[in-house]
Amino acid sequence: MPSPSQRNKINTHILDHPFTDYWDIFVLKHQNPLNIALHLVGIVIFYGLLLSAWQLHQPLLLFALPLSQLTGLLGHFFFEKSHIDLQDAIFSWRASFCLGRLFWQVLTGKYIHTIESHLEELSKIYPIQNNTLRLNAQSPPSEEIVRLSMVSHPMDVK
């Protein structure tokens, strides 16, 4: 299986994956509830600033828009150390689309199920043993492992 491009990298541990659609990669980079919450706050800040600048006729408020992206980056820095593509972090249509989709799926309660289905797909390549995802199927048990996020996920609402 070919390695994903640097731009579609999930993290430093998962080197090969079957995902080609950016949404699938985005989901695997956004599993931690605190990271997701900071991204949602960033979205609210972004649209709040746009609306405020328009309503108050204060275009200088638009200079604060980078705060919305900084909020999301803090989520990756503190809570979920997934690969960050600088082009997506600054601005890209694909990241903006995925953030909107994330926002909608969290509001409708579907995002946790999306994470679970993507982890299930990933587990076909990296076997699961004792609720952990083994990063290399040929590696010995001492090899580095990743905890599955779908086990007792705090965002799981039933």
Side-chain angles (χ1 to χ4, degrees), residues 10-26:
I10 295 171
N11 62 30
T12 57
H13 305 293
I14 300 174
L15 302 177
D16 292 323
H17 57 78
F19 304 108
T20 55
D21 184 44
Y22 185 68
W23 169 249
D24 301 327
I25 297 162
F26 182 91

Side-chain angles (χ1 to χ4, degrees), residues 71-134:
T71 306
L73 290 174
L74 288 174
H76 286 286
F77 182 75
F78 289 114
F79 305 111
E80 189 165 26
K81 308 257 190 261
S82 54
H83 173 72
I84 299 171
D85 177 48
L86 291 180
Q87 187 173 347
D88 287 331
I90 295 169
F91 177 78
S92 77
W93 288 110
R94 73 180 195 160
S96 298
F97 173 76
C98 289
L99 284 169
R101 193 169 173 184
L102 166 82
F103 191 80
W104 181 251
Q105 283 200 3
V106 169
L107 287 180
T108 59
K110 296 178 182 178
Y111 192 66
I112 184 65
H113 304 294
T114 302
I115 292 172
E116 289 172 352
S117 68
H118 283 70
L119 286 173
E120 187 176 314
E121 183 69 26
L122 192 61
S123 73
K124 293 176 184 174
I125 295 172
Y126 299 106
I128 298 173
Q129 296 174 358
N130 300 327
N131 292 332
T132 57
L133 194 60
R134 184 109 5 236

Side-chain angles (χ1 to χ4, degrees), residues 46-64:
F46 182 83
Y47 287 107
L49 284 169
L50 283 179
L51 184 64
S52 297
W54 179 62
Q55 287 289 322
L56 300 172
H57 303 287
Q58 292 292 327
L60 290 177
L61 285 174
L62 299 177
F63 285 110

Side-chain angles (χ1 to χ4, degrees), residues 137-157:
Q138 296 83 23
S139 67
S142 62
E143 199 61 36
E144 190 167 5
I145 53 176
V146 174
R147 276 259 168 238
L148 284 177
S149 295
M150 66 183 184
V151 178
S152 67
H153 203 288
M155 287 184 54
D156 196 4
V157 179

